[in-house]
Amino acid sequence: MDKEKLLLSILSTILGSSVLNGVITHILYNNKLKKELKNKGNDMIAQDIANSLQFFRNLELELTTQEIYNTENELNERGSDINLFGGECIYPAIFNDWASYDSFIEKIHICREQHEKNLSCKIALNLVFIDRYTKQLSLFMSENGNEASLPFWGAIFIVDLQRWQKKIDKLLVKEINKYSYKLESHASNKWKRLRKKELIKQYESTILHFLLTDKCPLRYKKMMTHLKTILESASEGN
């Protein structure tokens, strides 16, 4: 007879079957209760993460609200007859005025403050990226024109923003569709490993970075140089 059966036999003899059944029932109930509490805790965490993912998605989808802008006329007025985007082009509506732009930045701040902790390392780093990018862009635009020039810059930097928005939307939709979520530490080797790709390299591929540093990946060099020449020509003709 193994130890477990021997123990049950001894308990049955000492306590009687009714008492033993009560003990077993109590043990089983406690195990069930612990499992239910664990599942409930996991469900609460999953719901928090789902809310954070949806908040971030609503935020990045604001960049898909766009306005029409005639860049050709703007560049001609600045002394250039080169049409950069081929006639009428678009810019994100957040560039309508400083109030719209600052409102978008404030929502990013809220997202970071309330939801960043619930996001996976890769998605959180993309949140950090857009936070830093929009603030860097804000400094650039404030030094290169007044509020009336915001739509013009929006038509230029929409290239950067669309590239990021399409990327992060795919990541968010994939994550939302998982239906089960786990928290990830942002003080981890995974965070450090992804930081260079999702934050540094992504910024180094933007138009904004090139205009500030004259550096970009080789595959974008021709396009970036052409853009900078046009902007410099337009500025000289102004």
Side-chain angles (χ1 to χ4, degrees):
M1 181 179 295
D2 59 36
K3 291 182 179 180
E4 185 177 350
K5 289 182 178 179
L6 178 60
L7 179 60
L8 289 174
S9 177
I10 294 172
L11 287 173
S12 179
T13 302
I14 297 175
L15 301 174
S17 59
S18 60
V19 176
L20 180 60
N21 288 336
V23 171
I24 294 174
T25 300
H26 179 70
I27 293 172
L28 293 176
Y29 174 76
N30 280 345
N31 288 338
K32 181 181 179 182
L33 183 61
K34 288 179 181 179
K35 186 175 181 180
E36 288 177 349
L37 289 173
K38 182 179 179 181
N39 290 337
K40 186 177 181 180
N42 290 340
D43 288 343
M44 291 174 63
I45 292 172
Q47 187 59 55
D48 283 345
I49 295 174
N51 291 338
S52 296
L53 290 169
Q54 194 58 60
F55 187 96
F56 192 6
R57 186 160 192 249
N58 290 337
L59 169 68
E60 54 92 354
L61 285 175
E62 286 194 27
L63 293 174
T64 63
T65 303
Q66 298 161 348
E67 304 284 356
I68 301 295
Y69 182 77
N70 195 325
T71 308
E72 183 175 11
N73 288 344
E74 179 69 13
L75 292 177
N76 283 337
E77 289 174 5
R78 292 174 176 234
S80 174
D81 59 358
I82 302 175
N83 178 17
L84 182 58
F85 290 106
E88 283 192 334
C89 60
I90 56 176
Y91 68 91
I94 65 169
F95 289 86
N96 280 330
D97 48 46
W98 278 118
S100 299
Y101 192 82
D102 289 341
S103 175
F104 185 69
I105 289 181
E106 177 60 24
K107 289 173 185 175
I108 294 174
H109 174 73
I110 293 172
C111 192
R112 291 202 65 182
E113 185 178 62
Q114 299 181 9
H115 301 287
E116 182 178 335
K117 64 183 181 294
N118 292 331
L119 304 174
S120 67
C121 291
K122 190 171 186 177
I123 291 177
L125 281 165
N126 271 275
L127 177 58
V128 176
F129 168 82
I130 200 61
D131 179 34
R132 295 186 182 180
Y133 178 90
T134 50
K135 289 175 181 176
Q136 186 73 59
L137 181 56
S138 179
L139 292 173
F140 176 87
M141 294 189 298
S142 64
E143 294 173 355
N144 290 275
N146 52 27
E147 186 173 54
S149 65
L150 289 183
F152 171 79
W153 290 121
I156 299 296
F157 293 111
I158 193 174
V159 176
D160 292 343
L161 294 168
Q162 279 188 334
R163 186 187 302 152
W164 173 82
Q165 187 273 322
K166 289 177 181 177
K167 172 187 176 180
I168 191 60
D169 194 61
K170 288 180 181 178
L171 291 174
L172 287 169
V173 169
K174 183 178 180 180
E175 193 75 14
I176 289 170
N177 286 338
K178 280 184 177 180
Y179 294 106
S180 60
Y181 310 104
K182 292 183 179 180
L183 290 174
E184 287 188 355
S185 171
H186 293 175
S188 62
N189 290 331
K190 182 176 182 179
W191 177 275
K192 294 176 183 178
R193 185 176 70 252
L194 288 172
R195 186 179 185 278
K196 185 174 182 180
K197 177 183 176 183
E198 300 300 329
L199 196 61
I200 307 302
K201 286 190 175 182
Q202 188 167 199
Y203 177 58
E204 289 175 348
S205 298
T206 64
I207 294 172
L208 177 60
H209 179 265
F210 181 76
L211 293 179
L212 292 172
T213 67
D214 207 34
K215 297 178 181 178
C216 71
L218 185 60
R219 65 184 182 278
Y220 297 135
K221 189 72 175 181
K222 185 176 180 180
M223 183 270 287
M224 297 284 198
T225 303
H226 181 58
L227 169 60
K228 188 173 183 179
T229 300
I230 293 172
L231 292 175
E232 288 175 347
S233 175
S235 179
E236 291 171 1
N238 188 24

